[in-house]
Amino acid sequence: MAENHMTYRERALSLTQARGIARARDFKAAGIPLVYLKRLTDAGDLVRLGRGLYQKAEHVGEHGAHDLAEAARLAPNGVISLISALHHHELTTQLPHAIWMTIPHKARPPNRQGLRFEIVRATGQVMTAGVEHAQIEGVVVPIFSVAKTVADCFKHRRHVGEDVAIEALRDALRQRKTNPSELMRYAAIDRVTERMEPYIKALQ
């Protein structure tokens, strides 16, 4: 019995280490009885972040962007976007009051007590273009690129504020984090070319 306990314990800790933040369904898929999660949290090896989310105790809160990692696990089809993406790319001085995320039209929005989300929905290239991946606490977190984020801010300017979109565009060009052709590519995908083009030309 002790041998099985150690085997399950080692497998559970290895799985959590590999995924950064693991879901209960991940343990179940790996053949690890869920009763071991209770034992591991009671022993202090794992921390239960929320319903069905577990992380190794030594990794909890080690990264300032921990909430983004948790969000990525809660909404595996979502992409960190808008103000949260701007903050990640160091293109805004605003501290996001929530996690901004873009999810597919028919996807269920993430929900966890203690985390606030601002959700926008998209489909097609608007959802899939310009996705990069950051490693945060061992979790692969999808985040829109600089150029795609700027275009998205213009697309959702009523939501984030047009001043935020213009500031992000200006700073992205000044800091050479993107270029006009890349910005225009995503402006076309987001159908905001006419809105963005005059600002891009003025800043060149």
Side-chain angles (χ1 to χ4, degrees), residues 85-93 130 132 144-150 167-183 186:
L86 287 181
H87 190 260
H88 172 78
H89 293 303
E90 298 181 344
L91 287 173
T92 181
T93 55
E132 299 178 343
F144 282 123
S145 68
V146 169
K148 177 61 161 58
T149 298
V150 171
E167 181 185 24
L169 172 61
R170 184 187 66 234
D171 290 349
L173 287 172
R174 284 181 179 173
Q175 296 175 33
R176 298 185 178 181
K177 293 188 175 183
T178 186
N179 57 64
S181 62
E182 196 174 24
L183 286 163
Y186 291 111

Side-chain angles (χ1 to χ4, degrees), residues 43-111:
D45 294 315
L46 293 182
V47 172
R48 184 176 181 269
L49 300 172
R51 185 178 179 183
L53 288 182
Y54 296 85
Q55 186 175 27
K56 288 187 76 174
E58 62 263 34
H59 295 324
V60 174
E62 71 178 359
H63 196 292
H66 167 84
D67 287 354
L68 300 189
E70 198 168 332
R73 277 284 177 251
L74 285 167
N77 294 324
V79 183
I80 302 300
S81 61
L82 298 166
I83 305 298
S84 292
L86 287 181
H87 190 260
H88 172 78
H89 293 303
E90 298 181 344
L91 287 173
T92 181
T93 55
Q94 287 190 42
L95 286 174
H97 64 275
I99 299 165
W100 293 71
M101 180 174 269
T102 300
I103 63 174
H105 270 303
K106 295 183 179 180
R108 180 181 297 177
N111 180 31

Side-chain angles (χ1 to χ4, degrees), residues 117-132:
F117 288 89
E118 288 281 357
I119 297 296
V120 295
R121 296 181 180 271
T123 188
Q125 277 193 297
V126 178
M127 183 75 228
T128 60
V131 178
E132 299 178 343

Side-chain angles (χ1 to χ4, degrees), residues 112-198:
R112 185 175 92 67
Q113 192 172 6
L115 284 183
R116 182 179 173 188
F117 288 89
E118 288 281 357
I119 297 296
V120 295
R121 296 181 180 271
T123 188
Q125 277 193 297
V126 178
M127 183 75 228
T128 60
V131 178
E132 299 178 343
H133 295 87
Q135 281 274 350
I136 300 173
E137 295 184 358
V139 178
V140 178
V141 179
I143 300 179
F144 282 123
S145 68
V146 169
K148 177 61 161 58
T149 298
V150 171
D152 284 351
C153 285
F154 275 89
K155 182 178 181 67
H156 297 286
R157 59 193 177 277
R158 291 176 185 165
H159 201 175
V160 304
E162 189 161 29
D163 57 329
V164 171
I166 295 168
E167 181 185 24
L169 172 61
R170 184 187 66 234
D171 290 349
L173 287 172
R174 284 181 179 173
Q175 296 175 33
R176 298 185 178 181
K177 293 188 175 183
T178 186
N179 57 64
S181 62
E182 196 174 24
L183 286 163
M184 290 302 293
R185 176 190 166 207
Y186 291 111
I189 289 171
D190 278 354
R191 297 183 180 178
V192 288
T193 301
E194 290 184 7
R195 174 70 59 168
M196 286 180 63
E197 192 171 22

